[in-house]
Amino acid sequence: ANHAAEKAAEALGRVALAAPNWRQALCSCGALEALAGWIRCGGAPRRLQKYLFWAAGAIAGLPFVAHELRNHVSSFEVVDAALCAIIAILDDDIDGEYALVGAESCADSDVPAVIQLVVETMRQHPGTPQVQAKGSHCLGLLVPLAPTSQAASSSAAAVALAAPAVVHAARRFPRRRDVVNGSALALRALFSLAPLHAAAAAKTQSGVFRDLAGA
């Protein structure tokens, strides 16, 4: 039954990727709601959850993924699948049949909230290396997208939360290559971030250095 459900979800996602004009139709006909129902039931195995989030990401993009992640932040299976979907949507370096090329991202103004959401998942699952690795990877992709205007105080706050989360992940799992790679990606993004404004940039960098010094 799970294998059939995986294939059904994959088929829906393939249609959405191959024919973007069908995405609204898939939403209207109840396909997206069916995927959401599976996600929300709480009983789907980890592998099936990944197919469900992948297909839903192809149809409705990052806003849907973030919404479901926010509502199930305590569930490892949902968090793991949602973070995978976010990476598939945002990472341009991913190729292959499961890259969500062309899927909807999110508005620039929503990026700080998504950063804070990813940080919250890492806080909720501090002992789970998969979440720490994928969460750090997500932060490495999201931080460069944060608005950098003088008025973007929410970006400064989000970045200030991201820095210690990434360093703590690397400190907790120094022998996990996936965690180290994700943390390195995020730290590069943090250190290359265009200053939101002088004070915020100084605060962010000093916070990262302080955390690194304690590693």
Side-chain angles (χ1 to χ4, degrees), residues 85-96:
I86 293 173
I87 292 169
I89 291 170
L90 295 180
D91 196 340
D92 293 334
D93 291 331
I94 291 179
D95 53 15

Side-chain angles (χ1 to χ4, degrees), residues 8-169:
E10 182 176 4
L12 292 173
R14 297 283 175 216
V15 170
L17 290 177
N21 291 338
W22 275 77
R23 292 173 187 171
Q24 185 56 48
L26 289 169
C27 292
S28 301
C29 76
L32 182 63
E33 188 58 35
L35 294 171
W38 271 92
I39 291 170
R40 295 165 187 166
C41 76
R46 182 183 175 194
R47 178 181 167 92
L48 177 55
Q49 283 285 13
K50 289 187 176 182
Y51 275 95
L52 296 172
F53 267 98
W54 180 85
I59 296 170
L62 200 151
F64 175 90
V65 173
H67 179 268
E68 293 303 320
L69 177 58
R70 184 173 290 108
N71 289 337
H72 301 88
V73 72
S74 63
S75 167
F76 163 68
E77 290 78 12
V78 171
V79 167
D80 184 53
L83 294 178
C84 284
I86 293 173
I87 292 169
I89 291 170
L90 295 180
D91 196 340
D92 293 334
D93 291 331
I94 291 179
D95 53 15
E97 58 181 338
Y98 290 104
L100 291 176
V101 178
E104 180 184 355
S105 184
C106 63
D108 290 350
S109 59
D110 293 331
V111 170
V114 180
I115 290 175
Q116 293 183 38
L117 175 60
V118 172
V119 171
E120 178 59 24
T121 68
M122 295 172 72
R123 288 176 173 173
Q124 288 277 341
H125 303 271
T128 309
Q130 296 93 332
V131 173
Q132 300 303 308
K134 291 165 187 167
S136 295
H137 191 160
C138 287
L139 293 176
L141 300 170
L142 287 163
V143 164
L145 303 179
T148 56
S149 67
Q150 290 289 329
S153 59
S154 59
S155 290
V159 168
L161 291 174
V166 169
V167 174
H168 292 165

